[in-house]
Amino acid sequence: MYEEILEGLRNSTIFSIIVSAVVVFMVLICVFMIFSLAKEEKAIEERRWEKVSGRMELIDKKTGEHIPLEADEILIGRHGAADIRFPDMSISRYHAVLYVSNGVWRVLDLGSTSGTYVNNKKISSQVILKNQDEIQFGTQAVIIREKGRRRRNVS
């Protein structure tokens, strides 16, 4: 008796349509869940990166260009493989590295010919950077600062 009912349902077009609709519905629920989890993971990662990076950027002193610091280790140089590239002959191909750990940015000269300076002092080892520090790679000067903050004039 049950076999006859199942055989009847299998041969029914409505049963096939209902089963197909249920399968499509389940697939859509899975896709929705995957996108929701991915969006949540992206938001968590953005909050983590803001905490780690200190939300810093470089400002080119010559052009005023804003250069975002969007990685935990950034190679500065003239070479095409550099993360931040300055086409200036006073800058070595692999000049310096900026890196962040626990929200603290540091700079390290990589044995460049013309040197790296922080606030007009030549560095020979890694130096911790603070908001509004001036970094000079060869003749190229940049200011490291917190995004969205303007420099206040002290009178």
Side-chain angles (χ1 to χ4, degrees):
M1 178 168 174
Y2 292 116
E3 292 175 8
E4 292 173 7
I5 294 172
L6 284 174
E7 190 62 35
L9 286 174
R10 285 187 190 131
N11 293 331
S12 168
T13 342
I14 293 178
F15 180 74
S16 297
I17 291 172
I18 291 172
V19 169
S20 298
V22 168
V23 168
V24 168
F25 182 71
M26 295 299 285
V27 167
L28 288 175
I29 287 175
C30 290
V31 168
F32 176 74
M33 288 178 64
I34 289 169
F35 278 112
S36 295
L37 291 172
K39 185 177 179 182
E40 184 179 329
E41 181 67 26
K42 181 179 179 187
I44 289 169
E45 184 62 25
E46 285 173 353
R47 284 193 304 272
R48 185 195 71 77
W49 176 246
E50 283 182 17
K51 189 176 183 181
V52 169
S53 73
R55 299 186 44 158
M56 302 299 272
E57 67 183 351
L58 296 179
I59 307 294
D60 187 324
K61 284 191 73 174
K62 289 179 187 171
T63 66
E65 177 187 2
H66 294 241
I67 305 166
L69 301 178
E70 297 177 332
D72 55 357
E73 188 173 283
I74 300 168
L75 175 63
I76 309 288
R78 200 177 69 235
H79 193 274
D83 300 309
I84 297 177
R85 189 170 168 232
F86 295 114
D88 181 334
M89 291 307 290
S90 71
I91 296 175
S92 297
R93 281 179 265 150
Y94 302 105
H95 196 97
V97 172
L98 289 171
Y99 61 98
V100 66
S101 178
N102 295 325
V104 178
W105 281 94
R106 292 175 172 85
V107 63
L108 175 66
D109 186 80
L110 297 176
S112 64
T113 305
S114 57
T116 300
Y117 296 78
V118 175
N119 298 325
N120 296 318
K121 293 180 185 173
K122 188 171 185 174
I123 66 170
S124 57
S125 62
Q126 70 175 355
V127 171
I128 294 175
L129 298 170
K130 298 177 299 305
N131 192 33
Q132 298 297 332
D133 276 349
E134 179 178 320
I135 311 164
Q136 189 171 335
F137 310 104
T139 60
Q140 181 71 42
V142 295
I143 301 289
I144 186 167
R145 72 167 195 163
E146 192 172 334
K147 287 182 186 176
R149 284 213 162 164
R150 300 233 182 248
R151 187 176 202 171
R152 282 191 251 158
N153 291 333
V154 180
S155 301

